Amino acid sequence: MNKLTLAVAGGRKTQSIIERCVTSPKGRRILVLTYTRANQDQLTSRLLVHRPLDATVDIQGWFGFLLGHWIRPYLPRRFPGRRLTGFDFPGNPGRYAVGEHRFLDKNGKAYRLHLAQLAFETNEASSGSAIDRLSGIYDEIHIDEAQDLNGYDLEVMIKLINSSINLYMVGDVRQAILLTNAQEPKHNSYKGINIKKWFDKLSAAGLLEIEHQTITFRSNQLIADFADNLFDANFGFSPTISANTTDSEHRGLFAVASEHARSYLETFNPMCLRYMKTSATSLELPFQNIGISKGLEAEHVLIAPTGNMIQYLSNGKKLEPLASCYLYVAATRARSSVAFVCDRPKSLGLPIWTP
């Protein structure tokens, strides 16, 4: 059975993978995959707490998975005489590159840009040998943050679904702000939050069982309601239910004037988030980009909103789906409070915090 759990932020998605690995019977061979290095490190450290395990568990990044299990063993089947020598992460073969020049640089390293396509074509050229080999190595494969996959990754997913391997995936399509390859045109209509349509398509075809988990163990109900309202009802998301019953003195949503941001930092020690490193440069705060904060949590969060976010907070003008995802990720890092720092805090229509 192939299963996908779509859980809200704070829904313990990664923990569900840990628990399955810990409780798997002796001799079970499991591969756990995720996109970011931070997630790989988190999975590794959390599993180490439970050592020894009855099951054999390997943890890999998505790119390492494609390189090691799909491309390296069978690349000569796709391009006779060529051997994989490494990974060219920043390289770009150019828009019009064809043949092996589309996939490999002059030193035989695979470009990240078309890595999943190369993996797919290598498997096809080897008459399915890559997926057959995987089926002999692992009984089940878990994919964390499945919403980050796009392009030819989805073709790889189909191969896994149709194999003898049990596939388990977890994710939250509202956190689809990182993509394995944002420039890949393949399956462009399923990119970002629209990957929900891809999952629904697989479910309708009887290829994937989808479970929806709507309880957050992190954010209180005020924050959960704010995050839910970021998305149009047409997406069909069920309301989030908070299991956080902690009665913090500072809870809810607030606006903070720019001149009071430093005082807010000193008072609550919030996680400070911004869209990118060129945002809110006038504020001397320990910012990190929203994309890097995925998987993290804090008691309090202070956000430097973009202009579009300020408009949404001020007059309810709906954000584009990607911007909604960014704000969703930022707000749901918080357990107790979310504050927005701006020059005109009254315009946000939120309670204003002052020192």
mmCIF file of all heavy atoms in Angstrom, residues 122-149:
data_model
loop_
_atom_site.group_PDB
_atom_site.id
_atom_site.type_symbol
_atom_site.label_atom_id
_atom_site.label_comp_id
_atom_site.label_asym_id
_atom_site.label_seq_id
_atom_site.Cartn_x
_atom_site.Cartn_y
_atom_site.Cartn_z
ATOM 1 N N THR A 122 17.548 7.099 -17.391
ATOM 2 C CA THR A 122 18.505 6.015 -17.159
ATOM 3 C C THR A 122 17.775 4.735 -16.783
ATOM 4 O O THR A 122 18.119 3.638 -17.242
ATOM 5 C CB THR A 122 19.502 6.404 -16.052
ATOM 6 O OG1 THR A 122 20.227 7.567 -16.464
ATOM 7 C CG2 THR A 122 20.486 5.283 -15.777
ATOM 8 N N ASN A 123 16.760 4.869 -15.950
ATOM 9 C CA ASN A 123 15.958 3.698 -15.584
ATOM 10 C C ASN A 123 15.255 3.114 -16.807
ATOM 11 O O ASN A 123 15.215 1.893 -16.992
ATOM 12 C CB ASN A 123 14.928 4.084 -14.530
ATOM 13 C CG ASN A 123 14.065 2.908 -14.102
ATOM 14 O OD1 ASN A 123 14.531 1.959 -13.491
ATOM 15 N ND2 ASN A 123 12.776 2.980 -14.441
ATOM 16 N N GLU A 124 14.720 3.985 -17.664
ATOM 17 C CA GLU A 124 14.055 3.505 -18.875
ATOM 18 C C GLU A 124 15.045 2.807 -19.804
ATOM 19 O O GLU A 124 14.736 1.753 -20.375
ATOM 20 C CB GLU A 124 13.393 4.684 -19.599
ATOM 21 C CG GLU A 124 12.273 5.353 -18.828
ATOM 22 C CD GLU A 124 11.116 4.425 -18.573
ATOM 23 O OE1 GLU A 124 10.408 4.076 -19.535
ATOM 24 O OE2 GLU A 124 10.919 4.026 -17.400
ATOM 25 N N ALA A 125 16.232 3.411 -19.941
ATOM 26 C CA ALA A 125 17.241 2.841 -20.837
ATOM 27 C C ALA A 125 17.745 1.492 -20.344
ATOM 28 O O ALA A 125 18.206 0.666 -21.140
ATOM 29 C CB ALA A 125 18.411 3.806 -20.991
ATOM 30 N N SER A 126 17.658 1.261 -19.043
ATOM 31 C CA SER A 126 18.124 -0.010 -18.474
ATOM 32 C C SER A 126 16.969 -0.977 -18.267
ATOM 33 O O SER A 126 17.093 -1.946 -17.508
ATOM 34 C CB SER A 126 18.824 0.242 -17.130
ATOM 35 O OG SER A 126 17.917 0.779 -16.179
ATOM 36 N N SER A 127 15.847 -0.718 -18.938
ATOM 37 C CA SER A 127 14.662 -1.579 -18.856
ATOM 38 C C SER A 127 14.170 -1.762 -17.423
ATOM 39 O O SER A 127 13.778 -2.861 -17.012
ATOM 40 C CB SER A 127 14.957 -2.955 -19.497
ATOM 41 O OG SER A 127 15.350 -2.812 -20.848
ATOM 42 N N GLY A 128 14.221 -0.680 -16.654
ATOM 43 C CA GLY A 128 13.706 -0.716 -15.291
ATOM 44 C C GLY A 128 14.652 -1.304 -14.276
ATOM 45 O O GLY A 128 14.245 -1.620 -13.152
ATOM 46 N N SER A 129 15.934 -1.430 -14.627
ATOM 47 C CA SER A 129 16.894 -2.058 -13.707
ATOM 48 C C SER A 129 17.063 -1.270 -12.414
ATOM 49 O O SER A 129 17.277 -1.852 -11.348
ATOM 50 C CB SER A 129 18.257 -2.210 -14.397
ATOM 51 O OG SER A 129 18.184 -3.118 -15.476
ATOM 52 N N ALA A 130 16.991 0.065 -12.503
ATOM 53 C CA ALA A 130 17.183 0.883 -11.305
ATOM 54 C C ALA A 130 16.100 0.606 -10.278
ATOM 55 O O ALA A 130 16.378 0.404 -9.086
ATOM 56 C CB ALA A 130 17.192 2.370 -11.675
ATOM 57 N N ILE A 131 14.843 0.580 -10.710
ATOM 58 C CA ILE A 131 13.752 0.331 -9.777
ATOM 59 C C ILE A 131 13.761 -1.120 -9.313
ATOM 60 O O ILE A 131 13.424 -1.421 -8.156
ATOM 61 C CB ILE A 131 12.390 0.729 -10.403
ATOM 62 C CG1 ILE A 131 11.338 0.884 -9.311
ATOM 63 C CG2 ILE A 131 11.952 -0.248 -11.462
ATOM 64 C CD1 ILE A 131 11.541 2.067 -8.406
ATOM 65 N N ASP A 132 14.182 -2.035 -10.166
ATOM 66 C CA ASP A 132 14.296 -3.441 -9.757
ATOM 67 C C ASP A 132 15.362 -3.602 -8.678
ATOM 68 O O ASP A 132 15.183 -4.361 -7.714
ATOM 69 C CB ASP A 132 14.637 -4.323 -10.964
ATOM 70 C CG ASP A 132 13.476 -4.481 -11.927
ATOM 71 O OD1 ASP A 132 12.328 -4.173 -11.533
ATOM 72 O OD2 ASP A 132 13.716 -4.891 -13.084
ATOM 73 N N ARG A 133 16.477 -2.909 -8.850
ATOM 74 C CA ARG A 133 17.555 -2.969 -7.862
ATOM 75 C C ARG A 133 17.091 -2.410 -6.525
ATOM 76 O O ARG A 133 17.360 -2.997 -5.460
ATOM 77 C CB ARG A 133 18.764 -2.185 -8.371
ATOM 78 C CG ARG A 133 19.946 -2.102 -7.415
ATOM 79 C CD ARG A 133 21.105 -1.373 -8.079
ATOM 80 N NE ARG A 133 22.217 -1.171 -7.159
ATOM 81 C CZ ARG A 133 22.340 -0.117 -6.348
ATOM 82 N NH1 ARG A 133 21.399 0.833 -6.347
ATOM 83 N NH2 ARG A 133 23.375 -0.016 -5.539
ATOM 84 N N LEU A 134 16.392 -1.291 -6.560
ATOM 85 C CA LEU A 134 15.870 -0.700 -5.328
ATOM 86 C C LEU A 134 14.924 -1.657 -4.616
ATOM 87 O O LEU A 134 14.933 -1.773 -3.386
ATOM 88 C CB LEU A 134 15.128 0.599 -5.650
ATOM 89 C CG LEU A 134 15.922 1.892 -5.611
ATOM 90 C CD1 LEU A 134 15.065 3.035 -6.160
ATOM 91 C CD2 LEU A 134 16.388 2.218 -4.201
ATOM 92 N N SER A 135 14.098 -2.352 -5.394
ATOM 93 C CA SER A 135 13.136 -3.292 -4.816
ATOM 94 C C SER A 135 13.832 -4.438 -4.107
ATOM 95 O O SER A 135 13.267 -5.039 -3.180
ATOM 96 C CB SER A 135 12.216 -3.837 -5.914
ATOM 97 O OG SER A 135 11.510 -2.793 -6.549
ATOM 98 N N GLY A 136 15.045 -4.739 -4.537
ATOM 99 C CA GLY A 136 15.802 -5.796 -3.876
ATOM 100 C C GLY A 136 16.547 -5.325 -2.643
ATOM 101 O O GLY A 136 16.985 -6.144 -1.826
ATOM 102 N N ILE A 137 16.689 -4.011 -2.489
ATOM 103 C CA ILE A 137 17.430 -3.455 -1.357
ATOM 104 C C ILE A 137 16.506 -3.054 -0.211
ATOM 105 O O ILE A 137 16.819 -3.276 0.960
ATOM 106 C CB ILE A 137 18.260 -2.233 -1.807
ATOM 107 C CG1 ILE A 137 19.304 -2.653 -2.845
ATOM 108 C CG2 ILE A 137 18.964 -1.582 -0.610
ATOM 109 C CD1 ILE A 137 20.066 -1.482 -3.441
ATOM 110 N N TYR A 138 15.333 -2.475 -0.537
ATOM 111 C CA TYR A 138 14.463 -1.905 0.493
ATOM 112 C C TYR A 138 13.060 -2.489 0.442
ATOM 113 O O TYR A 138 12.520 -2.762 -0.635
ATOM 114 C CB TYR A 138 14.375 -0.382 0.337
ATOM 115 C CG TYR A 138 15.698 0.311 0.555
ATOM 116 C CD1 TYR A 138 16.385 0.874 -0.518
ATOM 117 C CD2 TYR A 138 16.275 0.391 1.826
ATOM 118 C CE1 TYR A 138 17.607 1.505 -0.335
ATOM 119 C CE2 TYR A 138 17.493 1.014 2.014
ATOM 120 C CZ TYR A 138 18.150 1.567 0.940
ATOM 121 O OH TYR A 138 19.366 2.181 1.137
ATOM 122 N N ASP A 139 12.493 -2.640 1.626
ATOM 123 C CA ASP A 139 11.096 -3.061 1.743
ATOM 124 C C ASP A 139 10.157 -1.862 1.696
ATOM 125 O O ASP A 139 9.024 -1.981 1.224
ATOM 126 C CB ASP A 139 10.873 -3.818 3.064
ATOM 127 C CG ASP A 139 11.734 -5.063 3.169
ATOM 128 O OD1 ASP A 139 11.649 -5.897 2.253
ATOM 129 O OD2 ASP A 139 12.492 -5.191 4.148
ATOM 130 N N GLU A 140 10.610 -0.753 2.234
ATOM 131 C CA GLU A 140 9.761 0.441 2.234
ATOM 132 C C GLU A 140 10.614 1.700 2.134
ATOM 133 O O GLU A 140 11.772 1.728 2.570
ATOM 134 C CB GLU A 140 8.864 0.492 3.463
ATOM 135 C CG GLU A 140 9.591 0.484 4.795
ATOM 136 C CD GLU A 140 8.621 0.319 5.963
ATOM 137 O OE1 GLU A 140 8.070 -0.790 6.138
ATOM 138 O OE2 GLU A 140 8.423 1.310 6.696
ATOM 139 N N ILE A 141 10.024 2.729 1.550
ATOM 140 C CA ILE A 141 10.673 4.020 1.406
ATOM 141 C C ILE A 141 9.746 5.094 1.961
ATOM 142 O O ILE A 141 8.549 5.114 1.670
ATOM 143 C CB ILE A 141 11.008 4.332 -0.067
ATOM 144 C CG1 ILE A 141 12.112 3.391 -0.572
ATOM 145 C CG2 ILE A 141 11.454 5.783 -0.240
ATOM 146 C CD1 ILE A 141 12.486 3.588 -2.036
ATOM 147 N N HIS A 142 10.316 5.977 2.788
ATOM 148 C CA HIS A 142 9.578 7.107 3.342
ATOM 149 C C HIS A 142 10.117 8.391 2.719
ATOM 150 O O HIS A 142 11.330 8.568 2.614
ATOM 151 C CB HIS A 142 9.755 7.184 4.860
ATOM 152 C CG HIS A 142 9.191 6.011 5.596
ATOM 153 N ND1 HIS A 142 8.032 6.081 6.316
ATOM 154 C CD2 HIS A 142 9.617 4.735 5.702
ATOM 155 C CE1 HIS A 142 7.761 4.902 6.858
ATOM 156 N NE2 HIS A 142 8.721 4.067 6.490
ATOM 157 N N ILE A 143 9.221 9.269 2.328
ATOM 158 C CA ILE A 143 9.621 10.570 1.800
ATOM 159 C C ILE A 143 9.049 11.653 2.704
ATOM 160 O O ILE A 143 7.824 11.782 2.832
ATOM 161 C CB ILE A 143 9.143 10.779 0.354
ATOM 162 C CG1 ILE A 143 9.713 9.683 -0.559
ATOM 163 C CG2 ILE A 143 9.575 12.158 -0.150
ATOM 164 C CD1 ILE A 143 9.249 9.792 -2.008
ATOM 165 N N ASP A 144 9.918 12.411 3.345
ATOM 166 C CA ASP A 144 9.505 13.531 4.178
ATOM 167 C C ASP A 144 9.435 14.787 3.300
ATOM 168 O O ASP A 144 10.181 14.914 2.326
ATOM 169 C CB ASP A 144 10.519 13.733 5.308
ATOM 170 C CG ASP A 144 9.975 14.592 6.439
ATOM 171 O OD1 ASP A 144 8.772 14.922 6.418
ATOM 172 O OD2 ASP A 144 10.755 14.946 7.347
ATOM 173 N N GLU A 145 8.550 15.708 3.644
ATOM 174 C CA GLU A 145 8.374 16.952 2.882
ATOM 175 C C GLU A 145 8.108 16.652 1.408
ATOM 176 O O GLU A 145 8.733 17.215 0.492
ATOM 177 C CB GLU A 145 9.605 17.860 3.024
ATOM 178 C CG GLU A 145 9.988 18.183 4.463
ATOM 179 C CD GLU A 145 9.030 19.177 5.127
ATOM 180 O OE1 GLU A 145 8.028 19.553 4.501
ATOM 181 O OE2 GLU A 145 9.303 19.562 6.277
ATOM 182 N N ALA A 146 7.142 15.772 1.155
ATOM 183 C CA ALA A 146 6.857 15.333 -0.218
ATOM 184 C C ALA A 146 6.392 16.469 -1.118
ATOM 185 O O ALA A 146 6.502 16.376 -2.348
ATOM 186 C CB ALA A 146 5.798 14.224 -0.193
ATOM 187 N N GLN A 147 5.898 17.551 -0.521
ATOM 188 C CA GLN A 147 5.431 18.682 -1.337
ATOM 189 C C GLN A 147 6.569 19.401 -2.047
ATOM 190 O O GLN A 147 6.330 20.200 -2.954
ATOM 191 C CB GLN A 147 4.654 19.684 -0.475
ATOM 192 C CG GLN A 147 5.497 20.589 0.405
ATOM 193 C CD GLN A 147 5.967 19.924 1.697
ATOM 194 O OE1 GLN A 147 5.441 18.857 2.050
ATOM 195 N NE2 GLN A 147 6.914 20.534 2.405
ATOM 196 N N ASP A 148 7.830 19.131 -1.666
ATOM 197 C CA ASP A 148 8.977 19.788 -2.300
ATOM 198 C C ASP A 148 9.331 19.182 -3.654
ATOM 199 O O ASP A 148 10.132 19.759 -4.397
ATOM 200 C CB ASP A 148 10.201 19.703 -1.387
ATOM 201 C CG ASP A 148 10.058 20.537 -0.124
ATOM 202 O OD1 ASP A 148 9.200 21.439 -0.112
ATOM 203 O OD2 ASP A 148 10.793 20.288 0.850
ATOM 204 N N LEU A 149 8.757 18.029 -3.988
ATOM 205 C CA LEU A 149 9.084 17.360 -5.240
ATOM 206 C C LEU A 149 8.342 18.022 -6.401
ATOM 207 O O LEU A 149 7.212 18.487 -6.255
ATOM 208 C CB LEU A 149 8.722 15.879 -5.165
ATOM 209 C CG LEU A 149 9.366 15.083 -4.024
ATOM 210 C CD1 LEU A 149 8.929 13.627 -4.086
ATOM 211 C CD2 LEU A 149 10.886 15.180 -4.085
#
